[in-house]
Amino acid sequence: NAGVTQTPKFQVLKTGQSMTLQCAQDMNHEYMSWYRQDPGMGLRLIHYSVGAGITDQGEVPNGYNVSRSTTEDFPLRLLLAAPSQTSVYFCASSPSGKSYNEQFFGPGTRLTVL
Amino acid sequence: DAKTTQPPSMDCAEGRAANLPCNHSTISGNEYVYWYRQIHSQGPQYIIHGLKNNETNEMASLIITEDRKSSTLILPHATLRDTAVYYCIVRVANSGNTPLVFGKGTRLSVIA
């Protein structure tokens, strides 16, 4: 199993540009989520999904969109990039049920918005 | 989810046991204790979890007090690669659609 994969690893955008951060998992996990981590800070939840076709907002959803058309993929879209969105983005997945809290995290995407 | 309290930082000599404490005095009977760590620039990594019995796996041991108000994560022979931020999280096992919340954790520095 590849686990949780994220692409790209690094990205530089200009203010106002849009892009999609990709996240995929091959463990047939129902739950997937996106976090951002700013320098010296903890992780903050952006959006999450409890299954295909179901998404919900986390703590800091503004400026981001998500969709979950398949179990495997959970892309995160930045609509109009702003310097405040400079951060490291982590995707995570886990099974439902009793193993829900044993989450697998991807390696992260480091995004800089100029 | 019950609130947890961890020291902001700790040092440990390489090869010695690292004992990371966590207080969770308001823990409920059906809440588990989960430990994660985050090595610099990497995604968080699940380590271990437990309800009331002590647990051990290939990475660490988890000791939970009898009253369940505190716990200790033990890395038996710390190496430089164990330098990371360690997070203690308390929540019910089947948490449905409520996401994990990471606090500030304990920054463990393993020193040669």
Side-chain angles (χ1 to χ4, degrees), chain B residues 7-62:
Chain B
S9 64
M10 293 181 63
D11 291 339
C12 177
E14 189 178 21
R16 304 295 295 269
N19 298 299
L20 293 98
C22 180
N23 286 327
H24 31 78
S25 58
T26 61
I27 191 169
S28 301
N30 63 345
E31 287 184 313
Y32 285 68
V33 181
Y34 293 85
W35 282 85
Y36 278 77
R37 73 179 181 182
Q38 186 174 23
I39 296 170
H40 181 62
S41 299
Q42 299 181 21
Q45 178 187 25
Y46 162 79
I47 301 173
I48 197 168
H49 73 280
L51 182 63
K52 53 184 177 182
N53 297 324
N54 298 337
E55 302 287 344
T56 295
N57 64 19
E58 64 278 3
M59 290 182 67
S61 294
L62 174 61

Side-chain angles (χ1 to χ4, degrees), chain A residues 42-82:
Chain A
L43 287 93
R44 293 185 291 170
L45 183 70
I46 304 171
H47 286 285
Y48 62 98
S49 168
V50 298
I54 307 169
T55 63
D56 208 342
Q57 296 182 350
E59 184 185 355
V60 288
N62 292 342
Y64 307 94
N65 271 358
V66 291
S67 59
R68 184 96 179 270
S69 56
T70 67
T71 299
E72 295 77 20
D73 301 299
F74 191 43
L76 178 73
R77 281 181 289 277
L78 278 70
L79 307 173
L80 291 169

Side-chain angles (χ1 to χ4, degrees), chain A residues 31 35 37 41-43 45 48 50 56 90 96-108 110, chain B residues 32 34 36 38 41-46 49 87 91-103:
Chain A
Y31 179 85
Y35 293 85
Q37 186 171 36
M41 305 278 288
L43 287 93
L45 183 70
Y48 62 98
V50 298
D56 208 342
F90 292 104
S96 60
K98 285 196 71 175
S99 297
Y100 171 85
N101 293 320
E102 300 161 46
Q103 297 197 7
F104 293 77
F105 282 79
R110 282 146 188 80
Chain B
Y32 285 68
Y34 293 85
Y36 278 77
Q38 186 174 23
S41 299
Q42 299 181 21
Q45 178 187 25
Y46 162 79
H49 73 280
Y87 299 96
R91 53 197 276 121
V92 296
N94 190 350
S95 305
N97 62 354
T98 60
L100 276 177
V101 175
F102 291 83

